[in-house]
Structure formats: C-alpha cells, structure tokens
Amino acid sequence: MSTDGANPGTRWLPRLMGVLLLLMGLALLAGGIKLSQLGGSLYYLIAGLGFAVSGALLLASRRLGLGLYGLVLLGSTAWALHEVGLDWWQLVPRLAIWFAIGVVLLLPWARRPLIGPAAKANTALLSVAVLASGACALGSQFTHPGEVFGELGRDSSEMGAAAPAMPDGDWQAYGRTEHGDRYSPLRQITPQNAYRLEEAWRIRTGDLPTDNDPVELTNENTPLKANGMLYACTAHSKVLALDPDTGAEIWRYDPQIKTPVGTFKGFAHMTCRGVSYYDENSYVSRDGSPAPKVSDAGQAVAQACPRRLYLPTADARLIAINADNGKVCEGFANQGAIDLTTGIGPFTAGGYYSTSPVAVTRSLVIIGGHVTDNESTNEPSGVIRAYDVHDGHLVWNWDSNNPDDTKPLAPGKMYSRNSANMWSLASVDEDLGMVYLPLGNQTPDQWGADRTPGAEKYSAGVVALDLATGKARWNYQFTHHDLWDMDVGSQPTLVHLKTKEGVKPAIIVPTKQGSLYVLDRRDGTPIVPIREIPVPQGAVKGDHTAPTQARSDLNLLGPELTEQAMWGATPFDQMLCRIQFRELRYEGQYTPPSEQGTLVYPGNVGVFNWGSVSVDPVRQLLFTSPNYMAFVSKMVPREQVAAGSKRESETSGVQPNTGAPYAVTMHPFMSPLGIPCQAPAWGYVAAIDLFTNKVVWKHKNGTTRDSTPVPIGMPVGVPSMGGSIVTAGGVGFLSGTLDQYLRAYDVNNGKEIWKARLPAGGQATPMTYTGKDGKQYVLIVAGGHGSLGTKMGDYIIAYKLPD
C-alpha cells in the first residue's frame, strides 16, 4: 500500500515511464559501451546506466527514481552546454526527449503514486533539472552560431562593370554575359519595394519525367532574354521561345532525342542547363578589329539565320536553331547539327553528352561534355572542341592528354580515352583572347594510380586557352592528384578588381572544397594568396596522395568535423552517428579514400557546385550560397565486390570502376533515420567584400518545410543546388534551396526581404530582364531535381512589381 494513499490502479503512468526509461537507458548503455571502445564520449554509457536505473526505480514505484532522473537530466544539460554551448539545433537531439520526459514525470499523476521517503527533495531536484534544460533551450533562441552579421556600407564604388556590353534589359548568356558574373544593371526592384513582387505569369512546358528516364531527371535551366523573346530548354532538350510579358509560347523545337538502346536509364543525369545565343550584328567591329573571315557556307548561315541558338542535346548533338522562328539552321555543320560523338569512341548510353550551354565568341562555339564518373577506366575523352560559329567546322580541339596538338582531329582518328573533361561552363575574355575552362577529373575519382601526366597537370583546376589556336596559355590546379571528386563545377567569374597594386583583370573560381581562387586572368598568378598546406597521407595500396593541397586565403570552409559535431533527431541516432564517425577514417579535409571508409568533408557535392557565384562589379560584392554536407566513400577491393552488385546512381550502389583494382561506394553521411549526421546549418547565403576579401554577412538559408513529414518551416539552413543573381538595385535572388521558394535578399546586409512559394523544386539559377512593358521581371524554372529528391514539375514563373 502506498504511504500517500494513492490507488495502486493509478500507477500505470510511472510504470509506463519506467519501462520506457529502462529500455532507452539500456539502448544508450549498449551504444555507449561501443562508443567508448572506439575512444568516444563516455556520456552515453553513464547516462544510459543512470536512465536505466531510474526507469527500474519508477517501475518499482520508488520516488528515488524521480531524483535520479533529475540528476541525470541535470548532468546531461551540463554536458550538452560543455559540448555545443547555446546552439538550439544541437541542443535539441541532446536534451529535447529528456526534457519532455522530465515534464511528464512532474505531473501529479506520475508523482503521487510513487512510494518512499524524501518526496519533496526528489521532486525539487527533478524540477531544477527540467528548469535548467528548459532555460538552455530558451536562451539558445537568441544565439546565432555560424552566422555573421554586418553591412557592406556602400551602394557603389569607383569600379564599373567590364563585361561585354548588351542591352540592360537582356540576359543573353547563362551568366548573363560570357564573363559569368550573373549581374544585371536593372534597378527597378530594390530592397525597399521587393516585398511587393507578385506573380506576373506562369506556364507549364509539358516536359515531365517518363518511364524511360533516370531517377536523376533535373531541371537546372536558366532561360535567356534576347531578340525580344525568352528562350528556355527543358530536361529533354526541348527549346521554347516565350513572350517575355505573358509567357505565351511563340515557337517550340523538339530535337527528338534518342539513344541507341531507346532508353535513358543508363544516364547519370538528364538535364539542359541552357542554350547559347549568337547575333551576327552584335559582333560587327565590336572591339575595332577586322571581322574574321567567313566561308561561303558560313555567310549563307549568317544570312538565313542571323540570330541563332546553340542547343546541346542529351544524345550528344549540338544543334543550331534560328532564334527568330525555331527552325534548324540547315547550313550549319551537317544539316544544322554537329555529332559530338565523332572521335570520342564507344560508350554506354548516357556516358557522354553536354549538359551545359556552349561558350560563344565572335567566331567560335566552344563545348565540353559530361563523362560518367566511376564507371570504368576506359571512358570517352574529355576533349574541348571549338567549332566555327557560322558553318560549324572544327577549328581546334584541346585534349588534356595531348595538350600541344590542337589542330582538328583527322577523319577516322580518336581522341585519347578518359582525359579530364569540362562538364560545366567556360567563361570568355575576347579582349585578352582567352577562354577559361573549369576542368573535371580523370575517372575514376577515388583511384588515381593510373592517371596520365596530362591529368596530373590539368585536372581539377582551371586552364586558359588561346581563342585563336586552342593552345594552353596558363593553368592552375586546385586539387593535386584528386581522389575526392573535387572537379571544378562552377563557371569562373571574370571581373575587374581593385587591389593594392591597382585594378587587375581577375578570374574568380569557386570550388567544391570551399576555396574561392582569385587569379590574374592574364597569366594565372594569384591575386589572393594561395597556400600549399600539408594534408593527410596514406592512400590505398598501389595509389599515392599529394603531400600538399592548394588552399586560398579567400574561402568559406567550415570548421573540421568532430565527434561533438555529430547530429541526429534523437539521442539514439546521434549516438549511432558518433559511432559511425569513430569507425570512419577522418583526419580533416583531404583524408584519402580507404577500405575502412573515409569521411569526405566538404563532400563531393561541394561547398560550391555548378551554381557558381554572382558578383556585383560596381559594389565589388560577391553573393553566394555555400553548402556543407559530408559524404562517405569506401574503397571495395575488386575481389570483394559481391556478385550482382550494381550502380544505382552516382551516390548509391556500387560504383564499378571497371579496370581499376577497387570499386567504390559513396553516400551522404546520414543517420539511420535518414537525416544528416553532421549538425546544421547545411546551407547558408553569404556575401564577401572583394575590397577586403572578408565575409560581410552569412546567414542560415532555407527551412525544413519540404524535407520532413511535418511541413513546418524551421529555419535550419538547408543545402541548395542552383545559383544566385545580383542586380544594380541592390537585390540578390536565389531559389536553389531544398524548400520550394524563390527568395530575395538585401545584398547590403543579407536580410530576406521577399519570398514566393514555388509549385516544385527550384534547383535552377534565376534571371531578370525588362519586358516589352518596361517592367523588370524576375524569372525562375521550377521543375525539381531528381538527385535531391525535390518535387518534380514543369513550371516557368515570372514575377514583377504591380502596376
């Protein structure tokens, strides 16, 4: 009989809590023993024992269970504060469940049925513990770990834009110009009025996933505004010309893409990031130099198609289209198309094609190509080819395995296999006569023992080629002997920078590893210092590692991961993440791949990817959205690859690496509940002052609204895949986050000043233009991204200020 006269039938609540705590405690105890054996924290072992004993006491209806639980909760709170301070997102998995249980145990229905002495003392101890943990949660609401608050403090400088001229209201290239700065001189939309933006129109392209598509169907297109029209391409390489004021379709072109096997399931990605625009009249005596000689065939093309679009297709063609009417320019190349498989050699469906728009110069179209990662050691060449902009004949080709021989490949010959490629976008400076190529790696990514001298020199860096000859003028390698898939996915940005030595023509190259390399684009010498830092050693048997890696003083690297940085939704998956962390090899950035399994951070999706950055050349401000997601790679000796193992995507299944002694598995570093093992934030929006090379502001960006079963928009800071733009009006736009929004920011301080809910994932770079009505529009393609798992769609949406 209870000493306080409680009915034994009311003891179900403390007994239920006792069973729950006993099971939870035993689970923590078991995991804590494992973690301690790996050299990890002893907290889980101690706490597990304490919770288990308190659960057993509650099961026995003893009041001492309350006091012991309070003691463990108080210790857990002190431990959490010691590890992470007042960081709300990191306190949640450490304390939220224990706080909630403590609140339940303070309820009269849980306390009164218990027996034993010192009721007030045990209750008081539990109350103090609950209040302490609650106070931590409350106090952490006012902290902003990882964020930077500041003001740029200027709307202009003596610097001006140096990019090629075009009408202010146009957006004629993927990065607006071939300098790739993603800067618009439009200024109707400002931080003061952006909140008034409203949808002007939306259309649906009708291009949706089919049964023949890979999982990774992606919609990454940035439309162009030129020739009084908008030009967009869809994931299946269809081109639409739209009225800029209404979105009404003017014409449509369907290249009827196909593969030899009639299916696209072998493709790693199915995407079209953009088309390229060329206007004969734009290049007449633009820089005072004489016009290049044009063949008779080229003159015929110029007359029949004076304004052209160049479309790279998913079945490896480059097609010239009349921008006025959508008809193929039949006089270009072979009835309007170039077969990009010429000289490439055999490959599986999807093994080679161009996902990014070509670079266009006064006389050339320059194109690279996607080569499937980690399929084999005998993949197509990554050759870069330059074709005559008028008639489509091959002018030069540059192959990193044969860099000095740039004369056009002879008929019947083949480019070298498996050379470093360019799947992203080049940038062009016609005044200096150079094209700047962001290069990928020689596949496979994690095995480098058989790399060619050309790959060891040029891959995972930037190379500047002479426009006239295709010869390399200079190169800078950012990752030596790359074993982490640190290919350069960002389009380089060309801008004039003010330095202590005067104004310099610069190239800024954002990279997956978090460094922004700032070089003099005339000769490749660093403007911002680049230091060769010692890195971890010890590659798998037969391979080697570079002793140092190049790190720019201008970087957005996060701190190295520690066990304390492990995360999860609960203490249990956080504990399992800690165990994973201890079991993996990780000695900081550039830890070599291993049979043990290596934690790669930043991961191979990168801090910066194909979305690149945007630069306001007048304010001398760089605007961007860095990501922070760790990946795990594990080398699998060939003899251990299980029969039937197969590649499912670039981040799941066994990547075969046929021809190499190791296959590899790769996946994001996730908890058993499918959430990241590393603590948030995983995505930011940030600005850098290019006068000082300092971060002006950096804020968490994006919410969990579309990433969890409960659609609550918690401002955690989520990854983004897509680029940003900036305007003379002082507004930046970004839509690539995992939640479905297009957002506007005040570039001076990073404040989010407007957002619009999208009907699908917005993993594309927005653009802005002036309509025929004189209004400034902001446009986004919202079609989703298969690799990220965002909602698929086929929308193009434009916004403007109300009349």
Side-chain angles (χ1 to χ4, degrees):
M1 179 178 294
S2 66
T3 59
D4 59 6
N7 188 332
T10 64
R11 295 176 183 168
W12 65 269
L13 182 56
R15 286 176 176 171
L16 176 62
M17 298 306 294
V19 171
L20 185 64
L21 273 175
L22 179 60
L23 294 175
M24 286 180 166
L26 291 175
L28 286 183
L29 180 61
I33 292 172
K34 173 70 172 176
L35 183 58
S36 65
Q37 290 173 339
L38 294 169
S41 172
L42 295 175
Y43 164 78
Y44 295 89
L45 188 157
I46 297 169
L49 182 61
F51 286 134
V53 173
S54 65
L57 290 170
L58 290 173
L59 196 56
S61 299
R62 309 302 298 183
R63 287 193 178 115
L64 185 58
L66 295 179
L68 180 57
Y69 183 84
L71 188 63
V72 179
L73 176 57
L74 203 59
S76 297
T77 303
W79 166 78
L81 287 173
H82 172 72
E83 282 211 323
V84 299
L86 290 175
D87 184 338
W88 191 84
W89 281 108
Q90 294 214 58
L91 289 175
V92 166
R94 288 170 168 82
L95 296 177
I97 287 179
W98 311 130
F99 171 79
I101 291 175
V103 171
V104 172
L105 291 177
L106 285 175
L107 296 174
W109 305 280
R111 289 186 292 108
R112 287 175 182 168
L114 301 178
I115 61 175
K120 291 184 179 180
N122 286 298
T123 302
L125 181 56
L126 177 58
S127 299
V128 169
V130 169
L131 288 173
S133 60
C136 287
L138 182 62
S140 65
Q141 298 296 310
F142 304 100
T143 65
H144 303 276
E147 297 190 87
V148 177
F149 293 84
E151 298 267 348
L152 179 64
R154 62 174 181 267
D155 288 329
S156 64
S157 69
E158 66 271 24
M159 300 297 295
M166 72 170 63
D168 285 357
D170 276 11
W171 192 283
Q172 294 184 7
Y174 180 85
R176 189 171 182 270
T177 74
E178 294 296 342
H179 279 204
D181 55 16
R182 279 160 282 279
Y183 167 78
S184 169
L186 298 182
R187 55 179 69 245
Q188 280 187 13
I189 300 170
T190 68
Q192 290 71 42
N193 64 22
Y195 73 93
R196 301 178 61 217
L197 282 167
E198 59 186 30
E199 186 173 312
W201 55 261
R202 75 168 61 188
I203 67 158
R204 303 195 67 171
T205 68
D207 192 349
L208 290 164
T210 71
D211 291 340
N212 286 331
D213 287 326
V215 175
E216 289 82 4
L217 186 74
T218 64
N219 290 277
E220 300 171 347
N221 175 238
T222 297
L224 306 184
K225 162 63 175 7
N227 194 28
M229 289 182 259
L230 296 173
Y231 300 108
C233 67
T234 70
H236 289 99
S237 306
K238 299 174 184 178
V239 181
L240 284 71
L242 307 174
D243 183 284
D245 288 23
T246 66
E249 187 173 312
I250 299 171
W251 56 255
R252 174 183 293 238
Y253 173 74
D254 185 352
Q256 300 292 321
I257 58 173
K258 55 188 178 297
T259 72
V261 294
T263 177
F264 293 101
K265 289 189 180 297
F267 279 57
H269 300 282
M270 176 72 70
T271 193
C272 177
R273 291 193 183 90
V275 294
S276 302
Y277 178 73
Y278 180 87
D279 186 343
E280 294 285 347
N281 297 323
S282 298
Y283 289 91
V284 174
S285 300
R286 198 187 85 179
D287 57 0
S289 61
K293 293 182 179 180
V294 180
S295 67
D296 291 342
Q299 290 178 357
V301 171
Q303 292 175 1
C305 297
R307 289 161 292 278
R308 298 187 289 283
L309 299 176
Y310 294 96
L311 168 69
T313 67
D315 55 1
R317 289 177 288 163
L318 177 62
I319 302 174
I321 304 168
N322 189 320
D324 294 336
N325 56 29
K327 304 295 183 182
V328 172
C329 298
E330 297 286 347
F332 178 81
N334 182 12
Q335 296 183 321
I338 295 171
D339 180 1
L340 296 174
T341 67
T342 301
I344 292 295
F347 58 90
T348 56
Y352 181 88
Y353 63 106
S354 184
T355 59
S356 299
V358 301
V360 178
T361 76
R362 184 177 184 180
S363 56
L364 300 172
V365 290
I366 302 168
I367 189 168
H370 154 88
V371 176
T372 301
D373 286 339
N374 304 319
E375 183 73 22
S376 77
T377 58
N378 185 27
E379 292 300 307
S381 175
V383 62
I384 313 300
R385 288 172 282 189
Y387 298 93
D388 184 272
V389 76
H390 298 95
D391 62 24
H393 77 268
L394 183 61
V395 177
W396 52 256
N397 35 232
W398 185 82
D399 183 336
S400 64
N401 284 346
N402 190 20
D404 297 325
D405 186 5
T406 62
K407 62 180 181 294
L409 187 73
K413 298 294 184 180
M414 187 184 300
Y415 297 107
S416 73
R417 301 287 284 175
N418 214 40
S419 54
N421 67 319
M422 179 189 73
W423 58 267
S424 186
L425 295 97
S427 297
V428 176
D429 186 334
E430 291 203 67
D431 293 334
L432 292 177
M434 282 186 273
V435 57
Y436 304 92
L437 313 177
L439 289 188
N441 209 348
Q442 184 179 60
T443 187
D445 292 317
Q446 286 77 26
W447 170 256
D450 301 322
R451 299 264 171 86
T452 62
E456 296 287 38
K457 178 178 180 179
Y458 293 109
S459 67
V462 66
V463 60
L465 302 185
D466 186 279
L467 282 175
T469 65
K471 301 278 189 180
R473 297 259 288 266
W474 60 262
N475 80 287
Y476 205 110
Q477 187 176 63
F478 305 135
T479 307
H480 313 311
H481 195 68
D482 180 13
L483 300 175
W484 306 271
D485 190 20
M486 292 293 128
D487 49 353
V488 185
S490 297
Q491 180 185 22
T493 295
L494 311 185
V495 63
H496 278 16
L497 291 182
K498 183 181 179 181
T499 72
K500 293 179 180 178
E501 294 79 31
V503 176
K504 292 185 178 182
I507 178 172
I508 302 174
V509 190
T511 58
K512 291 181 177 181
Q513 57 265 39
S515 281
L516 296 114
Y517 298 94
V518 185
L519 311 171
D520 188 317
R521 65 178 184 265
R522 294 170 295 189
D523 55 15
T525 56
I527 294 175
V528 175
I530 300 172
R531 307 177 195 280
E532 290 289 334
I533 60 167
V535 293
Q537 299 295 293
V540 292
K541 183 179 179 180
D543 205 347
H544 67 278
T545 53
T548 63
Q549 295 291 350
R551 178 174 292 171
S552 172
D553 280 3
L554 178 57
N555 67 75
L556 285 175
L557 280 170
E560 290 191 355
L561 295 181
T562 62
E563 183 192 322
Q564 289 82 357
M566 295 302 99
W567 203 63
T570 70
F572 306 99
D573 60 325
Q574 182 181 65
M575 176 181 66
L576 294 174
C577 283
R578 286 177 178 249
I579 291 172
Q580 284 189 67
F581 177 80
R582 289 289 180 177
E583 290 178 332
L584 292 168
R585 183 181 178 190
Y586 178 69
E587 299 153 31
Q589 191 176 21
Y590 302 111
T591 301
S594 63
E595 294 183 48
Q596 171 186 349
T598 291
L599 190 59
V600 182
Y601 181 75
N604 60 309
V605 170
V607 177
F608 305 103
N609 207 291
W610 56 264
S612 194
V613 298
S614 51
V615 173
D616 183 330
V618 179
R619 290 181 176 85
Q620 291 280 283
L621 180 80
L622 184 147
F623 177 58
T624 186
S625 54
N627 294 321
Y628 300 93
M629 289 291 290
F631 269 65
V632 175
S633 68
K634 184 174 183 179
M635 305 296 280
V636 183
R638 180 65 52 199
E639 63 274 11
Q640 295 180 19
V641 177
S645 298
K646 64 178 182 178
R647 173 193 183 102
E648 298 171 10
S649 74
E650 287 189 330
T651 55
S652 63
V654 177
Q655 314 296 310
N657 290 354
T658 303
Y662 294 89
V664 66
T665 61
M666 294 183 297
H667 57 84
F669 186 34
M670 308 292 274
S671 84
L673 296 182
I675 62 176
C677 267
Q678 67 185 90
W682 308 296
Y684 290 86
V685 61
I688 294 171
D689 185 341
L690 293 175
F691 280 170
T692 65
N693 296 317
K694 302 295 184 183
V695 174
V696 181
W697 51 260
K698 179 182 176 185
H699 304 316
K700 295 175 184 176
N701 194 46
T703 70
T704 58
R705 173 168 179 169
D706 299 300
S707 305
T708 60
V710 181
I712 300 175
M714 300 293 285
V716 62
V718 297
S720 63
M721 184 65 74
S724 61
I725 65 171
V726 287
T727 69
V731 181
F733 292 92
L734 176 70
S735 67
T737 52
L738 289 181
D739 57 351
Q740 295 166 202
Y741 288 99
L742 171 64
R743 291 180 167 90
Y745 312 82
D746 184 335
V747 299
N748 187 52
N749 54 31
K751 180 182 178 181
E752 182 183 301
I753 51 180
W754 171 83
K755 66 180 178 182
R757 180 73 174 158
L758 300 176
Q763 279 68 54
T765 303
M767 53 85 74
T768 186
Y769 64 91
T770 301
K772 292 177 290 186
D773 60 0
K775 290 281 190 176
Q776 181 182 353
Y777 289 74
V778 179
L779 182 143
I780 184 64
V781 171
H785 198 286
S787 297
L788 295 180
T790 55
K791 184 179 178 181
M792 303 302 291
D794 61 338
Y795 300 89
I796 302 177
I797 307 174
Y799 303 85
K800 68 174 182 177
L801 296 172
D803 294 332

